[in-house]
Structure formats: C-alpha cells, structure tokens
Amino acid sequence: MRFPAFLASAAVLALSPSLGLSSMVWAQTPDPLPKTINVKTNIYYFQGEQALAEALKRTPNTGRAKNIILFIGDGMGINSVTAGRIFAGQQRGLDGASYELSFDKLPYSGFSKTYSTDRLVTDSANGISAITTGVKTINGAIGVDGTVVGPRCRGSLKARVPTLAEEAKLAGLSAGVVTTAGITDATPAGAYGHTPYRGWRADSDMTAEAIENGCIDLARQLVEAPAAIRMDVALGGDLTKFVPDNDPRKGNRADGRDLTAEWLKQTPTATYVTGAKDLAAIDPTKTDHLLGLFADGDLPSPVDTAEHYDVPTLDEMTAKAIDVLAKNPKGYFLLVESASIDKWHHQNNAYHALTDVDELSKAVQVAMDKTDAADTLIIVTADHSHGLVLTGGSTREEPIMGLARNHGKDSLDGNGQPYTTLSYATGPGGPKGGPGRSAPTEEEATSPGYTQPALVYTDSAQHAGEDVPVYAGGPQAHLLSGTIESSFIYQVMAHALGFK
Ligand SMILES: [Zn+2]
C-alpha cells in the first residue's frame, strides 16, 4: 500500500517533545494514521486525485467574451439541482447520487442572493431583471428600477433601465431569447421588457390607466422595439398574446394587430414558425430574424409529449438560436430559460419539475458543444428557489420519486406510516382542512402525475428564498464565485463583453 508523503512527516512530528502527551501516545504507534483503503482502487479517492489534478491546471480566463449564453432554471434552487441530478441519473439506469448534470462540470460556482427591493422572497420578474439590468426592483416588475409601485404606469417610464441584451444589440452584437414558457412571461421578458407589472402581456391584460399613461404590453415591446435594440431570435410560447381576438387562432389582442405578420415585415430574411418540424427545417444561413411561437401559452412538458409531438425541446430551440445568432462576427447574447421547473414545483409535481432540470442540462450541453469556452461565457443560475426538500431514509438505489425505502423496505415516520423522499414546504399537496396526511403507495409516489406532500396547503406552492447556485465557465467566469447579489451577475456579463 502506498502512503501519501504528508503521512511520513507525521512520524517526525510525533517525536517532537513540545507536542505533549497525546503525541507521545502517537509516537508508540509505528503508523499513526493507518490507511484502511486502497488508494489505487477506492473510487472516491481515485476520482478525487484526478479532480485535484484538473483543478490545479485551471487558470482563470481573464479575456473578453465574444458571446454570452445565460441559462435560467426558473425556480431551480440547489435542492432542485441535487434532486434533478439524482432523477436524471436514475432515468438513465445509472447511480443518481454520483451522476453529473452538464453544468455540474462548469469550473466556477457561487451563490446568488435573490431578494427584491420589497420582498424577502422574489418572483421571476425581479429575479431575472436584477440579472439582466444590474438593478433590483420590486416583485412583479421588469426592466425598471425599484421606484415603481406595482401595476401603475404613471411614473414607471422614467424608471426604465436598459437590459444587457439591448446594450449588446447597440454594441453591434446579436441577441436572442428562448424559453419553454410563453415568450412574454417574466423571465424571457427580462431580455427585452420594461414594465412595472409583469401581467401586462397583451393589450387586453392592461388597465385603462396603463394605456392612458403610455405603457405598452410585452408582446408589443418584443416586436416593436427599435431595430437597434430588438431581439433577433425569440422562441417560446404565447401565440395568443400576438394575434387578434377575432383571429381563427383565438388570440387575446383587442387592438386587432397581428404581431406575427408585423415581425415578418421587419427584415428581408424574417421567419416565423409554429412547430418543431418547421423550426428544424430553418436554414440558419438564410434567417436573421426568427420568431417561433409553439403553443398558445406555455410549452407542454416533454413528459406529456405524446400529445404534443410538434413542440420543440429546449435543446432544439437553443441549438437553432445559437446557429442563427453565431453568424454575427461581433458575437451575441442569448437568454435561455427552462421555465417549467418553476411551473411544476408550483403544482408540487416533482416528476415534471425534475424532468425540466434534465432538459436544462441537455440544453446547456448543446451550448457547450456548439461554442468555444475560450470566447463564450456560459452562466447557469436561477431567479429564485422553491420549497422542495430531499429527505433522508432511502438507500442509494431507491428511486428518488418513490417512498423513502431501505433496500426495498419502507422507512416509516413516527406514526408508523411510509413517507416520500421528496416533499414541499407549501402547495396543493398540503393537508386541505388542517394537519394530517394520507400515506401514499410506492406505485402512486413514482407515477409522473403524483403530487408530492406539502407541509402547508396552498393552491400553488410559494417560491423559496434561500440563495441559488450560479455555475459559470468561459471568459470572466471566475468572477462568479463566493456569495454575490443577483444584480452582480449583470456586472460580470457587462465587464466580460467589454462594456464597463
Ligand atoms: Zn414561480
């Protein structure tokens, strides 16, 4: 057996008279720290040595970023990452605990403090806005500072702050946004939107006060922005926000405008698609201005894709967006959101939520494969967390979706009842009408439609307020370490692109 060099010096230390009685006892033992493991074959020791060698080779890339791809796992706290990693590994028939998501491999990570100017726990609007503008605001507001007062337009226009995507466009880069939510939902709107209230997505959502005072809905903001700051690529859902209410597509627009038709008139190579096959067929060399709206609202989950075969996956949308944007020799900024992590956590449906952590991992892998870490800064983070808990009681091989089990035998709570490994602080899985819960079976707990139990009953789970992880690789990625404000991520991105 081989012993690390530092153990040899332990014998010398043991002979020193100044070390007192305990060292004298040590001195009587010929080998004060006998190794009981084989350091050549123990997987953790062996992999640890390899990881150390890799870490020692790592040097910060202090160069300028040509491209930035910012990934947001909506509602993806560290709990979602850990549980999502285990789920993703187990879905592939592998050991879940030691499985690695694509972004687990990014070299730098830190913690982001996500609170807003008015709340301990943020929503997605302030959550993304802080990251894309460098300025925190109130819950519900996007692309404006903290002086706004909620759904009131008056005074909000002067609170407007530019987004990094808009600044990138002005500097000659291209910009795009991709999401599995509606494209006017809070997180994607963080790329292009400015509003004191995230709910103003189509004109029919707006109040008379908002219209009178000059605020415009987010769908119009996306399409109508001046060409100098307008998004080049926008892929997601929300068709209803873009077409009139008297249209066969059954839109929400009261102003009679068809914004999809307006998009198509904006450049000679503008393209608009509504299905995965049409998206796949697009020749990126012949498209510079791409709008894809693949659902009336949010995109359906890949778990349920049998009914929705023509909806693209997040990695397919990410790949096409990169192919279109990467033609610009000056570079690009792309925001990609895996939105449904949050939406399914709100329903206490961990199966669907963790599937979307895996979808995010696949999309990040596509971005890593299509770009060069030497000139592309990739950031993966969240706007806020959710109250998911990964509870002990299970042995490694047991499905994370199921009951807590010790090698197939149910672990029991203090009342002698089985319980699930995953549960929530709040949500529809809580005990309606008071405390108490019914014990599920393993078959129920592992099914894709299962609602995990929650401590407190609410129609929709509350977000959670603990810090969220930030993973980064590429130019200036080393600056995203330690504990940071969410708004600091903007500073690093702006610095990486040479805007500071
Ligand atoms: Zn949410």
PDB file of all heavy atoms in Angstrom, residues 2 6 35-36 54 69 89 97 101 107 113 117 193 225 244 253 277 295 300 333 342 416:
ATOM      1  N   ARG A   2       0.508   2.222  -0.805  1.00  0.00           N
ATOM      2  CA  ARG A   2       1.270   3.470  -0.900  1.00  0.00           C
ATOM      3  C   ARG A   2       0.709   4.494   0.083  1.00  0.00           C
ATOM      4  O   ARG A   2      -0.494   4.581   0.286  1.00  0.00           O
ATOM      5  CB  ARG A   2       1.128   4.016  -2.323  1.00  0.00           C
ATOM      6  CG  ARG A   2       1.895   5.287  -2.591  1.00  0.00           C
ATOM      7  CD  ARG A   2       1.676   5.708  -4.037  1.00  0.00           C
ATOM      8  NE  ARG A   2       0.287   6.116  -4.280  1.00  0.00           N
ATOM      9  CZ  ARG A   2      -0.185   7.327  -4.011  1.00  0.00           C
ATOM     10  NH1 ARG A   2       0.592   8.245  -3.479  1.00  0.00           N
ATOM     11  NH2 ARG A   2      -1.445   7.626  -4.256  1.00  0.00           N
ATOM     12  N   PHE A   6       2.590  13.247   3.033  1.00  0.00           N
ATOM     13  CA  PHE A   6       2.381  14.007   4.278  1.00  0.00           C
ATOM     14  C   PHE A   6       2.336  13.088   5.497  1.00  0.00           C
ATOM     15  O   PHE A   6       2.627  13.490   6.601  1.00  0.00           O
ATOM     16  CB  PHE A   6       1.114  14.871   4.199  1.00  0.00           C
ATOM     17  CG  PHE A   6      -0.182  14.120   4.290  1.00  0.00           C
ATOM     18  CD1 PHE A   6      -0.733  13.806   5.526  1.00  0.00           C
ATOM     19  CD2 PHE A   6      -0.855  13.732   3.143  1.00  0.00           C
ATOM     20  CE1 PHE A   6      -1.946  13.137   5.602  1.00  0.00           C
ATOM     21  CE2 PHE A   6      -2.051  13.054   3.225  1.00  0.00           C
ATOM     22  CZ  PHE A   6      -2.599  12.749   4.452  1.00  0.00           C
ATOM     23  N   LYS A  35      -3.846   3.597   6.745  1.00  0.00           N
ATOM     24  CA  LYS A  35      -4.842   3.684   5.665  1.00  0.00           C
ATOM     25  C   LYS A  35      -5.533   2.335   5.543  1.00  0.00           C
ATOM     26  O   LYS A  35      -4.881   1.323   5.298  1.00  0.00           O
ATOM     27  CB  LYS A  35      -4.146   4.018   4.343  1.00  0.00           C
ATOM     28  CG  LYS A  35      -3.855   5.490   4.229  1.00  0.00           C
ATOM     29  CD  LYS A  35      -4.934   6.176   3.424  1.00  0.00           C
ATOM     30  CE  LYS A  35      -4.525   7.640   3.270  1.00  0.00           C
ATOM     31  NZ  LYS A  35      -5.598   8.547   3.135  1.00  0.00           N
ATOM     32  N   THR A  36      -6.850   2.346   5.676  1.00  0.00           N
ATOM     33  CA  THR A  36      -7.579   1.083   5.526  1.00  0.00           C
ATOM     34  C   THR A  36      -8.114   0.925   4.112  1.00  0.00           C
ATOM     35  O   THR A  36      -8.624  -0.103   3.745  1.00  0.00           O
ATOM     36  CB  THR A  36      -8.759   1.032   6.507  1.00  0.00           C
ATOM     37  OG1 THR A  36      -9.540   2.199   6.305  1.00  0.00           O
ATOM     38  CG2 THR A  36      -8.270   0.971   7.942  1.00  0.00           C
ATOM     39  N   GLU A  54      -6.983  18.180 -12.147  1.00  0.00           N
ATOM     40  CA  GLU A  54      -7.700  19.079 -13.062  1.00  0.00           C
ATOM     41  C   GLU A  54      -7.805  20.486 -12.461  1.00  0.00           C
ATOM     42  O   GLU A  54      -7.600  21.482 -13.133  1.00  0.00           O
ATOM     43  CB  GLU A  54      -9.114  18.550 -13.337  1.00  0.00           C
ATOM     44  CG  GLU A  54      -9.169  17.387 -14.304  1.00  0.00           C
ATOM     45  CD  GLU A  54      -8.605  17.745 -15.680  1.00  0.00           C
ATOM     46  OE1 GLU A  54      -9.003  18.799 -16.212  1.00  0.00           O
ATOM     47  OE2 GLU A  54      -7.751  16.999 -16.181  1.00  0.00           O
ATOM     48  N   ILE A  69     -24.031  33.183 -23.090  1.00  0.00           N
ATOM     49  CA  ILE A  69     -25.297  32.442 -23.029  1.00  0.00           C
ATOM     50  C   ILE A  69     -25.664  32.321 -21.550  1.00  0.00           C
ATOM     51  O   ILE A  69     -24.923  31.727 -20.761  1.00  0.00           O
ATOM     52  CB  ILE A  69     -25.188  31.060 -23.684  1.00  0.00           C
ATOM     53  CG1 ILE A  69     -24.607  31.194 -25.097  1.00  0.00           C
ATOM     54  CG2 ILE A  69     -26.571  30.391 -23.739  1.00  0.00           C
ATOM     55  CD1 ILE A  69     -24.413  29.867 -25.816  1.00  0.00           C
ATOM     56  N   GLY A  89     -29.927  10.828 -13.466  1.00  0.00           N
ATOM     57  CA  GLY A  89     -29.089   9.623 -13.474  1.00  0.00           C
ATOM     58  C   GLY A  89     -29.936   8.366 -13.416  1.00  0.00           C
ATOM     59  O   GLY A  89     -29.740   7.418 -14.188  1.00  0.00           O
ATOM     60  N   ALA A  97     -26.951   9.581  -7.390  1.00  0.00           N
ATOM     61  CA  ALA A  97     -26.232  10.497  -6.495  1.00  0.00           C
ATOM     62  C   ALA A  97     -24.923  10.974  -7.101  1.00  0.00           C
ATOM     63  O   ALA A  97     -24.538  12.130  -6.934  1.00  0.00           O
ATOM     64  CB  ALA A  97     -25.990   9.819  -5.150  1.00  0.00           C
ATOM     65  N   LEU A 101     -24.871  16.441 -13.958  1.00  0.00           N
ATOM     66  CA  LEU A 101     -25.550  17.259 -14.971  1.00  0.00           C
ATOM     67  C   LEU A 101     -24.482  18.010 -15.756  1.00  0.00           C
ATOM     68  O   LEU A 101     -23.360  18.191 -15.275  1.00  0.00           O
ATOM     69  CB  LEU A 101     -26.505  18.252 -14.300  1.00  0.00           C
ATOM     70  CG  LEU A 101     -27.643  17.613 -13.502  1.00  0.00           C
ATOM     71  CD1 LEU A 101     -28.347  18.655 -12.638  1.00  0.00           C
ATOM     72  CD2 LEU A 101     -28.643  16.921 -14.419  1.00  0.00           C
ATOM     73  N   PRO A 107     -16.510  25.086 -14.436  1.00  0.00           N
ATOM     74  CA  PRO A 107     -15.412  25.167 -13.466  1.00  0.00           C
ATOM     75  C   PRO A 107     -15.658  26.074 -12.254  1.00  0.00           C
ATOM     76  O   PRO A 107     -15.020  25.900 -11.225  1.00  0.00           O
ATOM     77  CB  PRO A 107     -14.248  25.704 -14.304  1.00  0.00           C
ATOM     78  CG  PRO A 107     -14.870  26.372 -15.482  1.00  0.00           C
ATOM     79  CD  PRO A 107     -16.145  25.649 -15.745  1.00  0.00           C
ATOM     80  N   LYS A 113     -27.772  35.906  -4.081  1.00  0.00           N
ATOM     81  CA  LYS A 113     -28.831  36.365  -3.166  1.00  0.00           C
ATOM     82  C   LYS A 113     -29.933  37.004  -4.003  1.00  0.00           C
ATOM     83  O   LYS A 113     -29.704  38.014  -4.658  1.00  0.00           O
ATOM     84  CB  LYS A 113     -28.239  37.372  -2.179  1.00  0.00           C
ATOM     85  CG  LYS A 113     -27.169  36.751  -1.298  1.00  0.00           C
ATOM     86  CD  LYS A 113     -26.216  37.776  -0.724  1.00  0.00           C
ATOM     87  CE  LYS A 113     -26.858  38.625   0.346  1.00  0.00           C
ATOM     88  NZ  LYS A 113     -25.869  39.592   0.908  1.00  0.00           N
ATOM     89  N   THR A 117     -36.343  44.433  -4.051  1.00  0.00           N
ATOM     90  CA  THR A 117     -36.277  45.645  -3.238  1.00  0.00           C
ATOM     91  C   THR A 117     -37.371  45.671  -2.171  1.00  0.00           C
ATOM     92  O   THR A 117     -37.263  46.404  -1.197  1.00  0.00           O
ATOM     93  CB  THR A 117     -36.398  46.930  -4.093  1.00  0.00           C
ATOM     94  OG1 THR A 117     -37.611  46.867  -4.847  1.00  0.00           O
ATOM     95  CG2 THR A 117     -35.217  47.094  -5.029  1.00  0.00           C
ATOM     96  N   GLY A 193     -37.970  43.443 -22.004  1.00  0.00           N
ATOM     97  CA  GLY A 193     -39.155  44.132 -21.490  1.00  0.00           C
ATOM     98  C   GLY A 193     -38.864  45.175 -20.431  1.00  0.00           C
ATOM     99  O   GLY A 193     -37.874  45.106 -19.704  1.00  0.00           O
ATOM    100  N   ALA A 225     -39.846  47.031 -30.627  1.00  0.00           N
ATOM    101  CA  ALA A 225     -38.626  47.709 -30.164  1.00  0.00           C
ATOM    102  C   ALA A 225     -37.878  48.271 -31.371  1.00  0.00           C
ATOM    103  O   ALA A 225     -37.908  47.683 -32.452  1.00  0.00           O
ATOM    104  CB  ALA A 225     -37.742  46.718 -29.414  1.00  0.00           C
ATOM    105  N   PRO A 244     -54.955  38.738 -32.936  1.00  0.00           N
ATOM    106  CA  PRO A 244     -56.199  39.387 -32.503  1.00  0.00           C
ATOM    107  C   PRO A 244     -57.242  38.406 -31.961  1.00  0.00           C
ATOM    108  O   PRO A 244     -57.207  37.219 -32.272  1.00  0.00           O
ATOM    109  CB  PRO A 244     -56.724  40.054 -33.781  1.00  0.00           C
ATOM    110  CG  PRO A 244     -55.636  39.984 -34.785  1.00  0.00           C
ATOM    111  CD  PRO A 244     -54.740  38.881 -34.395  1.00  0.00           C
ATOM    112  N   ARG A 253     -55.499  39.697 -28.390  1.00  0.00           N
ATOM    113  CA  ARG A 253     -55.259  41.103 -28.677  1.00  0.00           C
ATOM    114  C   ARG A 253     -56.562  41.823 -29.027  1.00  0.00           C
ATOM    115  O   ARG A 253     -57.269  41.434 -29.960  1.00  0.00           O
ATOM    116  CB  ARG A 253     -54.262  41.272 -29.832  1.00  0.00           C
ATOM    117  CG  ARG A 253     -52.875  40.730 -29.531  1.00  0.00           C
ATOM    118  CD  ARG A 253     -51.807  41.465 -30.313  1.00  0.00           C
ATOM    119  NE  ARG A 253     -51.687  42.845 -29.885  1.00  0.00           N
ATOM    120  CZ  ARG A 253     -50.984  43.241 -28.825  1.00  0.00           C
ATOM    121  NH1 ARG A 253     -50.318  42.373 -28.103  1.00  0.00           N
ATOM    122  NH2 ARG A 253     -50.959  44.516 -28.493  1.00  0.00           N
ATOM    123  N   LYS A 277     -41.043  20.783 -36.424  1.00  0.00           N
ATOM    124  CA  LYS A 277     -40.523  20.368 -37.746  1.00  0.00           C
ATOM    125  C   LYS A 277     -40.124  21.589 -38.564  1.00  0.00           C
ATOM    126  O   LYS A 277     -39.080  21.579 -39.222  1.00  0.00           O
ATOM    127  CB  LYS A 277     -41.590  19.562 -38.492  1.00  0.00           C
ATOM    128  CG  LYS A 277     -41.888  18.213 -37.847  1.00  0.00           C
ATOM    129  CD  LYS A 277     -42.710  17.338 -38.787  1.00  0.00           C
ATOM    130  CE  LYS A 277     -43.338  16.176 -38.057  1.00  0.00           C
ATOM    131  NZ  LYS A 277     -44.636  16.532 -37.420  1.00  0.00           N
ATOM    132  N   ALA A 295     -46.921  27.329 -28.864  1.00  0.00           N
ATOM    133  CA  ALA A 295     -48.083  26.978 -28.039  1.00  0.00           C
ATOM    134  C   ALA A 295     -48.881  28.252 -27.783  1.00  0.00           C
ATOM    135  O   ALA A 295     -48.345  29.355 -27.890  1.00  0.00           O
ATOM    136  CB  ALA A 295     -47.643  26.371 -26.709  1.00  0.00           C
ATOM    137  N   PRO A 300     -45.866  22.567 -23.537  1.00  0.00           N
ATOM    138  CA  PRO A 300     -46.164  21.392 -22.707  1.00  0.00           C
ATOM    139  C   PRO A 300     -44.878  20.689 -22.265  1.00  0.00           C
ATOM    140  O   PRO A 300     -43.813  20.884 -22.848  1.00  0.00           O
ATOM    141  CB  PRO A 300     -46.976  20.503 -23.654  1.00  0.00           C
ATOM    142  CG  PRO A 300     -46.568  20.922 -25.017  1.00  0.00           C
ATOM    143  CD  PRO A 300     -46.242  22.383 -24.940  1.00  0.00           C
ATOM    144  N   PHE A 333     -25.614  37.738 -27.452  1.00  0.00           N
ATOM    145  CA  PHE A 333     -26.111  37.432 -26.105  1.00  0.00           C
ATOM    146  C   PHE A 333     -27.379  36.619 -26.267  1.00  0.00           C
ATOM    147  O   PHE A 333     -28.278  36.997 -27.030  1.00  0.00           O
ATOM    148  CB  PHE A 333     -26.431  38.722 -25.319  1.00  0.00           C
ATOM    149  CG  PHE A 333     -27.157  38.447 -24.029  1.00  0.00           C
ATOM    150  CD1 PHE A 333     -26.469  38.039 -22.895  1.00  0.00           C
ATOM    151  CD2 PHE A 333     -28.542  38.566 -23.956  1.00  0.00           C
ATOM    152  CE1 PHE A 333     -27.139  37.760 -21.710  1.00  0.00           C
ATOM    153  CE2 PHE A 333     -29.223  38.294 -22.768  1.00  0.00           C
ATOM    154  CZ  PHE A 333     -28.514  37.895 -21.652  1.00  0.00           C
ATOM    155  N   ASP A 342     -40.115  25.690 -12.437  1.00  0.00           N
ATOM    156  CA  ASP A 342     -40.940  26.508 -11.536  1.00  0.00           C
ATOM    157  C   ASP A 342     -42.415  26.140 -11.635  1.00  0.00           C
ATOM    158  O   ASP A 342     -43.099  25.966 -10.630  1.00  0.00           O
ATOM    159  CB  ASP A 342     -40.745  27.982 -11.897  1.00  0.00           C
ATOM    160  CG  ASP A 342     -41.704  28.901 -11.170  1.00  0.00           C
ATOM    161  OD1 ASP A 342     -41.488  29.134  -9.969  1.00  0.00           O
ATOM    162  OD2 ASP A 342     -42.666  29.377 -11.801  1.00  0.00           O
ATOM    163  N   GLY A 416     -45.673   5.366  12.154  1.00  0.00           N
ATOM    164  CA  GLY A 416     -45.667   4.057  11.517  1.00  0.00           C
ATOM    165  C   GLY A 416     -46.106   4.081  10.063  1.00  0.00           C
ATOM    166  O   GLY A 416     -46.407   3.044   9.473  1.00  0.00           O
TER     167      GLY A 416
END
